[in-house]
Amino acid sequence: MTNDEHGGGAGPRAADEHGRPDPPFAGDEMSTLRGFLDFHRRTLAWKLEGLTRDQLAATHPPSTMTLGGMLTHLAYVEDWWFGVVLDGSDPVEPWASAPWHEDPDWDWRPAAADPDAAAALWESAVARSDALLVAAPDGLETVAVRRDRRTGEPISLRWIVVHMIEEYCRHNGHADLLREAIDGSTGE
């Protein structure tokens, strides 16, 4: 994604050797936040490049976290915050029929079965999120259809985007450790 596509107007920004676009250095708020969100999404994609089905399902005890599970979890988080909370849509599949009552962490589990499907699920969730982000009538000032479950407070799109950046940053740190344990790959 270029700065122009983010509303920064400064022209295309270079991507690094891992395909991660540099966030704008002097962009407006939307282009800066979108730049960091895209950077961290691409960081996750980089951390999963070239891994086999078994590697995506590998754990590093005592944690049960896997890189494949992380991918489906982040697909769920994208769909939840942008689709369900912001837009007010019903959950899409596989989330709509997931057995949440039996396993509250179900989103972390199905990825090991089919990593290609997990990648496609994540990519489609990101595309849906981006479409909703672009269509937000009041930009970052847009208020989500749903309110906070605990307090009933309104949630702004700005909060959702910052939360998504935080979510990716946290899990990219996990991905660094898991990837290094799997094959010794390191980096940022």
Side-chain angles (χ1 to χ4, degrees):
M1 189 145 302
T2 66
N3 234 9
D4 286 336
E5 291 167 327
H6 288 301
R13 296 278 317 213
D16 69 11
E17 67 275 17
H18 305 292
R20 300 177 304 173
D22 285 330
F25 292 116
D28 60 22
E29 184 180 18
M30 178 64 90
S31 63
T32 300
L33 290 175
R34 286 287 309 271
F36 276 96
L37 180 57
D38 289 341
F39 178 86
H40 286 290
R41 285 170 169 166
R42 298 283 43 103
T43 297
L44 177 71
W46 164 42
K47 294 296 174 179
L48 287 106
E49 280 180 3
L51 294 177
T52 66
R53 178 183 308 258
D54 288 343
Q55 289 171 320
L56 287 169
T59 61
H60 185 65
S63 175
T64 60
M65 186 181 296
T66 68
L67 287 170
M70 185 180 302
L71 188 61
T72 56
H73 168 71
L74 286 165
Y76 170 68
V77 171
E78 290 269 1
D79 277 333
W80 176 260
W81 283 105
F82 288 102
V84 176
V85 175
L86 177 66
D87 192 51
S89 300
D90 290 332
V92 297
E93 290 299 339
W95 324 121
S97 60
W100 298 111
H101 61 285
E102 295 169 21
D103 184 358
D105 292 325
W106 182 85
D107 53 319
W108 284 92
R109 314 248 189 275
D114 188 348
D116 293 334
L121 180 67
W122 177 72
E123 289 168 4
S124 65
V126 167
R128 284 188 296 276
S129 295
D130 282 345
L132 291 167
L133 186 54
V134 168
D138 297 317
L140 294 170
E141 301 297 324
T142 301
V143 175
V145 172
R146 290 200 176 190
R147 292 176 170 260
D148 181 76
R149 289 188 260 198
R150 293 166 299 178
T151 66
E153 291 179 72
I155 302 169
S156 71
L157 178 55
R158 176 181 291 102
W159 188 94
I160 291 170
V161 172
V162 170
H163 174 67
M164 290 302 301
I165 294 167
E166 175 269 333
E167 187 84 15
Y168 275 97
C169 288
R170 181 172 33 140
H171 290 311
N172 282 340
H174 297 138
D176 284 338
L177 295 171
L178 289 170
R179 182 68 191 247
E180 185 174 5
I182 289 167
D183 66 3
S185 294
T186 60
E188 292 183 53

